[in-house]
Amino acid sequence: MTQPLLKVDRISKRFGGNQAVKETSFHVNKGEILGLIGPNGAGKTTAFNMIAGYLESDTGDVVFEGVSIKGRKPWDICKAGIGRTFQLSKPFGDLSVRENIMVGGFARSADRKRIASRADEVVDFLDMKDVAEMDALDLTAFDRRKLELGRALATEPKLLLMDEVVAGATPSEATEMVELVKKIRDTGVSILIVEHVMHVIMNLSDRVIVLDFGNLIADGNPHEVVNDPDVMKAYFGEKYVQQSA
Amino acid sequence: MFGSATTLERALILIVAAFLVFLPSIVRDPYHIHTATMIVYFSFMAASWNFVCGYVGQLSLGHSVFSGVAGYVTVLMFTQMGLSPWIGMLFGGFFAAVLSLAIGFPTFRLKGPYFTLTTIAFAEIMRIWFENTDNFIGIPLKGSEGLVVPLVGDSFWAFQFNEKLPYYYIALALLAIIVIATAIMERSKLGYYLKAIRGDRDGAEALGINPTKYSLIALSISAFFTGIGGAFFAQFFRYINPERNMGIDLSIDMAIMSIIGGQGTVLGPILGSFILHPIAEVARTSLGGSFLGLHLVIYGAVLALTVLYFPQGIIVPLRKLLARISGGDVK
């Protein structure tokens, strides 16, 4: 097997008495969409933050393209080729949508012309031409999400970490987002996605991993994973699994 | 805001600029020239403050320390080493920029009120130290008494003029420089980055931005300009003391003028100074004797009204009005 794009090796994070993530290992292959699911408080966002450099893992290592990135700062990790979106997207005010996307472009180039034309490409890609010159703070919640995605894409990532991209979206918006994520993958970007909405995860992911109380409890194709008794137990409790057995 | 300015706005900016250039041919009274110089000086100081604070969205109330330190460097280099204040001014500016890095490195990790309080603390510590130090390793600081710039008569080299007029034009040239510098910065990578940091610090980091690094770059430029302003002030009055040139009043003036005019815009701070300084001046001259500190009460009232009705500064409704008149779109 070829080397995975991202290898997370026994990472842990303890906040005081709370072990948010415990010796968790997983990997993202090149070109794949990996879904990360788990009940509330399972440590998904903490794991994300450890990959993206917002938190440093207490143990183990995070290896991207064969190089350890553990302990590196978020801006260095961005430059290494990992982009991310947040649960709450806050556009940069006093800048248009297009200019917001340009902010990401400066990470790769100092040439304004190149950055501007790249931003136009991203605007087209996201189908946001109509709002491109609008102040980003005037966008609807869903357009804000798309814009955040666009900013991350402008940094030309090889791996994109996406945190709950369809939270609060209408069904048609969710469908649009699913198509968009697939389109991003088709451009050669690998994706690690955290999501609560199951049908989005089932639709998108090539593979799903499940975190529960900081432990990795399942890893496999989406349909196998959702029928895994351990996963059901984590989501619905012991009783539910016994009843349905 | 230059990039998105409407034709009418550009025309208005040019008219105001031309008015300022030709003002002394209309107004000849030295007192009025003096007041005009002070308005331009405060515009310059507010714009210098805005260069970092307005764009990165952090409230510094310690900027006067850069003005004071650079003023002292300029005056001391002149009196002790015989160096022209023009050169001393640049040294002072650089000194202020270096000092700003030392202050900014720990403080820019702090947010909101913590940042503000720390800037006040640094500036006040420096002011109190200056006030209580007569002699520092052989440098005569003369404590709270301050330093007088010895009179040498009309001399460009010594930055001394018998008339008020040259000072006015020097202040105006400085103002033009900071306006152009801010307009360039706004359209550069630094401007985009500062607005990103202001909008969402974590989000900015995810896009490859090191917030501390870019805040410090902007702060050092801002401190440099503030220092130049401080040196100008010392030359204009031929006198410098810790309270006037380094005190918190000056820091507050810089911040409030920017906030009222419109921080994070090229021309907002200048608008703020043009509105506030005349009000303060009138209050001081007409009621000064009987009602000390009245201008501060007026500042407070204007600030409260602005924050209530135009939270982004007076420049925002003004620009909208201009856009409506010219029938153009506002961004």
Side-chain angles (χ1 to χ4, degrees):
Chain A
M1 200 183 127
T2 53
Q3 187 192 19
L5 181 65
L6 177 80
K7 198 163 170 281
V8 174
D9 185 21
R10 290 173 293 111
I11 58 168
S12 313
K13 192 76 207 174
R14 176 185 281 281
F15 300 110
N18 174 18
Q19 185 80 45
V21 175
K22 198 162 124 198
E23 302 254 322
T24 298
S25 300
F26 58 88
H27 64 273
V28 183
N29 293 315
K30 230 174 170 171
E32 116 180 295
I33 298 179
L34 178 65
L36 170 58
I37 61 172
N40 278 332
K44 302 179 299 277
T45 300
T46 305
F48 248 53
N49 282 333
M50 283 192 278
I51 298 168
Y54 288 80
L55 292 170
E56 189 178 340
S57 174
D58 299 334
T59 60
D61 204 357
V62 180
V63 179
F64 182 65
E65 292 190 306
V67 182
S68 170
I69 54 166
K70 182 173 167 264
R72 282 166 75 176
K73 296 293 181 192
W75 46 89
D76 290 332
I77 287 174
C78 164
K79 286 180 180 152
I82 300 181
R84 80 167 289 184
T85 67
F86 293 82
Q87 274 183 36
L88 284 171
S89 17
K90 280 186 272 176
F92 307 138
D94 200 22
L95 290 174
S96 70
V97 167
R98 197 166 155 275
E99 289 168 333
N100 262 265
I101 294 169
M102 284 177 68
V103 171
F106 285 111
R108 287 285 166 242
S109 166
D111 177 5
R112 273 186 64 101
K113 264 195 194 139
R114 195 179 111 72
I115 293 166
S117 74
R118 170 89 185 125
D120 286 333
E121 280 171 37
V122 174
V123 166
D124 282 346
F125 185 85
L126 298 171
D127 196 16
M128 292 184 86
K129 238 182 180 157
D130 297 342
V131 293
E133 299 306 322
M134 241 164 94
D135 190 299
L137 285 177
D138 297 336
L139 291 179
T140 63
F142 185 65
D143 276 345
R144 286 181 175 209
R145 284 205 175 281
K146 276 168 65 181
L147 172 58
E148 199 193 6
L149 202 52
R151 286 193 324 216
L153 287 177
T155 68
E156 298 172 27
K158 292 171 190 148
L159 171 68
L160 193 55
L161 311 177
M162 300 173 78
D163 204 349
E164 301 205 22
V165 277
V166 300
T170 65
S172 75
E173 286 169 347
T175 311
E176 188 188 338
M177 188 54 91
V178 167
E179 290 314 310
L180 202 55
V181 173
K182 283 184 175 162
K183 225 167 89 182
I184 292 168
R185 192 262 304 269
D186 292 344
T187 65
V189 179
S190 312
I191 291 165
L192 171 60
I193 185 167
V194 163
E195 190 50 74
H196 271 306
V197 181
M198 277 316 280
H199 80 91
V200 168
I201 281 286
M202 302 295 287
N203 246 318
L204 268 178
S205 312
D206 300 314
R207 194 158 61 88
V208 171
I209 52 176
V210 185
L211 268 182
D212 184 37
F213 288 113
N215 295 300
L216 193 70
I217 57 169
D219 179 348
N221 84 48
H223 294 278
E224 271 169 33
V225 164
V226 291
N227 293 313
D228 184 300
D230 281 341
V231 175
M232 292 225 219
K233 217 184 290 171
Y235 271 89
F236 306 116
E238 192 100 34
K239 263 192 185 149
Y240 176 87
V241 180
Q242 282 168 356
Q243 277 168 9
S244 51
Chain B
M1 78 150 282
F2 266 18
S4 58
T6 61
T7 320
L8 184 66
E9 261 180 71
R10 283 165 201 265
L12 205 68
I13 291 165
L14 282 179
I15 291 168
V16 172
F19 172 75
L20 289 174
V21 170
F22 292 110
L23 180 72
S25 47
I26 311 162
V27 180
R28 285 168 194 283
D29 180 45
Y31 167 71
H32 289 138
I33 295 287
H34 179 96
T35 307
T37 308
M38 289 312 286
I39 293 173
V40 174
Y41 157 78
F42 274 112
S43 300
F44 173 82
M45 295 301 268
S48 301
W49 180 91
N50 178 57
F51 194 93
V52 61
C53 294
Y55 285 91
V56 89
Q58 292 263 47
L59 176 68
S60 155
L61 290 179
H63 253 60
S64 62
V65 69
F66 306 130
S67 150
V69 163
Y72 270 94
V73 168
T74 310
V75 173
L76 285 167
M77 281 187 141
F78 180 62
T79 56
Q80 304 301 305
M81 299 159 68
L83 202 65
S84 165
W86 291 103
I87 299 163
M89 198 175 195
L90 293 176
F91 271 108
F94 280 117
F95 199 89
V98 172
L99 178 69
S100 79
L101 295 178
I103 295 175
F105 191 71
T107 52
F108 261 122
R109 287 142 204 268
L110 305 169
K111 289 170 194 173
Y114 304 103
F115 173 82
T116 306
L117 289 173
T118 320
T119 57
I120 295 174
F122 268 114
E124 286 295 273
I125 289 166
M126 285 296 276
R127 178 184 64 81
I128 292 164
W129 183 78
F130 266 83
E131 278 184 349
N132 292 292
T133 307
D134 281 334
N135 193 305
F136 176 64
I137 54 167
I139 304 167
L141 295 177
K142 291 200 178 164
S144 56
E145 189 189 320
L147 301 174
V148 174
V149 181
L151 185 66
V152 296
D154 216 21
S155 159
F156 182 80
W157 175 85
F159 206 128
Q160 287 186 20
F161 309 98
N162 293 337
E163 304 266 322
K164 295 269 185 196
L165 203 58
Y167 293 106
Y168 174 76
Y169 280 116
I170 291 166
L172 205 56
L174 290 176
L175 182 60
I177 291 169
I178 187 82
V179 167
I180 293 165
T182 310
I184 292 172
M185 181 277 283
E186 198 178 54
R187 296 171 61 73
S188 73
K189 171 174 160 177
L190 181 60
Y192 281 74
Y193 273 17
L194 294 181
K195 285 180 182 179
I197 296 164
R198 180 180 65 191
D200 178 4
R201 195 184 166 96
D202 285 342
E205 288 185 4
L207 300 179
I209 302 170
N210 176 347
T212 309
K213 177 179 160 188
Y214 289 97
S215 301
L216 283 180
I217 291 173
L219 176 66
S220 60
I221 298 170
S222 165
F224 175 81
F225 281 121
T226 309
I228 297 281
F232 169 84
F233 191 83
Q235 290 305 125
F236 186 46
F237 288 96
R238 285 201 304 105
Y239 174 64
I240 183 168
N241 77 3
E243 200 206 331
R244 281 213 315 178
N245 224 333
M246 213 184 257
I248 193 165
D249 281 8
L250 177 61
S251 296
I252 292 175
D253 275 338
M254 292 166 81
I256 288 192
M257 284 169 180
S258 289
I259 293 166
I260 287 176
Q263 54 175 329
T265 64
V266 176
L267 299 174
I270 297 156
L271 182 68
S273 152
F274 273 67
I275 292 169
L276 278 184
H277 189 75
I279 296 176
E281 189 67 24
V282 169
R284 218 169 317 182
T285 48
S286 58
L287 292 154
S290 56
F291 209 149
L292 209 65
L294 179 70
H295 71 286
L296 292 176
V297 177
I298 296 172
Y299 274 20
V302 177
L303 181 64
L305 289 173
T306 311
V307 169
L308 271 176
Y309 294 103
F310 316 117
Q312 288 164 294
I314 293 173
I315 195 151
V316 173
L318 192 68
R319 295 190 68 209
K320 281 188 182 150
L321 181 74
L322 287 176
R324 198 172 303 156
I325 294 169
S326 62
D329 275 346
V330 253
K331 196 181 97 180

